[in-house]
Amino acid sequence: MSGPPTASEDAPIRVLLADDHDLVRTGFRAILGVEPGVEVVGEARDGDEAVQQAQRLEPDVVLMDVQMPGVDGLEATRRILGPSSPTSEVRVVILTTFDREDYLFEALQAGASGFLLKNASADDLVEAVRIAARGDALLSPEVTRRVIARFSTPGPAVQPRRPPELTDREFEVLVLLARGATNAEIAGELYLGETTVKTHVSRVLMKLGLRDRTQAVIYAYENGVVAPNGPSRDGSET
């Protein structure tokens, strides 16, 4: 599996705005339009248009609203990031207010790279675009807590399975990723350099066929690699 594309250091980050409110798109365009190294290449008023524009313009990042008429942002994300889609490597950042957890988990499972609150500051908006363009995930502590809470609810037991593709060290990194640890925190926990941690994270994602850290968290809990507030597969507490 090839890794997600990242914007060239020389080329501007190409952004597509998808929101049914003209005022929101205008505001985002104004903020991003004056930012060096960022270019707004298009706008969409609904999910269907967002899919078409993503295929035509090939942006690096799509800022995607959830609630839009016709095809909503969740379905548009699924279409853009589907494995057979020509735009499957585009990064999608969901615009959300966190008022609907079903939106959150549907977007995660569709492959979204992260979430941005609609009341975020201009600096947060720019940083979200840059993070997504680098190929990283916007996995905030709030999102991590919600993922953990989701998989803490009663349900069918999942047989813990240690992914055979991973080395012992890569498995340790996956467990820490599932706890929401940053690269710096993983480095401190495992007494490694951050560059080495980045290499391990990349290998974990590649071997498991995952897009980013967000999907790594979901994978870990869905497959019983770690258990909320309980032991991981290797017996350590999570």
Side-chain angles (χ1 to χ4, degrees):
M1 173 186 170
S2 62
T6 57
S8 162
E9 290 183 3
D10 298 323
I13 299 168
R14 296 166 54 81
V15 181
L16 172 64
L17 307 175
D19 196 295
D20 61 323
H21 291 96
D22 292 345
L23 211 56
V24 172
R25 296 196 314 276
T26 299
F28 284 176
R29 180 180 280 275
I31 292 169
L32 296 173
V34 297
E35 187 67 24
V38 178
E39 178 186 3
V40 177
V41 296
E43 298 182 16
R45 295 175 177 81
D46 58 46
D48 186 55
E49 189 177 2
V51 175
Q52 294 177 32
Q53 292 279 60
Q55 293 174 350
R56 184 174 70 85
L57 299 171
E58 298 183 343
D60 299 303
V61 178
V62 179
L63 292 178
M64 181 79 74
D65 187 22
V66 172
Q67 295 179 311
M68 294 186 288
V71 176
D72 65 19
L74 297 174
E75 177 59 26
T77 299
R78 281 189 284 268
R79 294 183 188 180
I80 289 172
L81 301 179
S84 60
S85 169
T87 54
S88 62
E89 298 295 340
V90 170
R91 313 296 294 192
V92 174
V93 176
I94 298 291
L95 302 172
T96 181
T97 57
F98 282 131
D99 57 350
R100 290 280 301 272
E101 289 204 350
D102 53 339
Y103 289 166
L104 168 63
F105 291 103
E106 280 189 60
L108 283 171
Q109 291 169 333
S113 294
F115 301 85
L116 183 69
L117 294 175
K118 279 203 170 182
N119 62 356
S121 68
D123 288 344
D124 288 339
L125 174 65
V126 173
E127 182 64 12
V129 167
R130 294 195 184 281
I131 289 172
R134 287 199 303 266
D136 294 333
L138 298 162
L139 189 59
S140 68
E142 171 67 10
V143 173
T144 303
R145 283 195 297 271
R146 286 170 182 261
V147 170
I148 292 172
R150 171 68 167 247
F151 291 102
S152 297
T153 56
V158 177
Q159 181 66 34
R161 183 178 71 86
R162 179 170 182 156
E165 307 94 329
L166 303 185
T167 65
D168 289 346
R169 179 64 82 191
E170 289 164 354
F171 180 74
E172 290 176 325
V173 169
L174 176 60
V175 170
L176 291 172
L177 281 177
R179 298 176 186 168
T182 65
N183 285 349
E185 290 168 342
I186 294 172
E189 179 80 13
L190 300 180
Y191 302 101
L192 300 172
E194 284 194 51
T195 300
T196 301
V197 170
K198 289 179 182 178
T199 299
H200 284 311
V201 170
S202 295
R203 287 176 178 168
V204 168
L205 299 181
M206 179 186 67
K207 289 182 177 182
L208 298 180
L210 305 172
R211 286 176 58 88
D212 50 40
R213 303 167 78 96
T214 306
Q215 288 199 337
V217 173
I218 294 175
Y219 174 93
Y221 283 95
E222 283 185 333
N223 289 276
V225 172
V226 292
N229 301 317
S232 68
R233 182 74 168 89
D234 65 356
S236 62
E237 292 297 314
T238 63

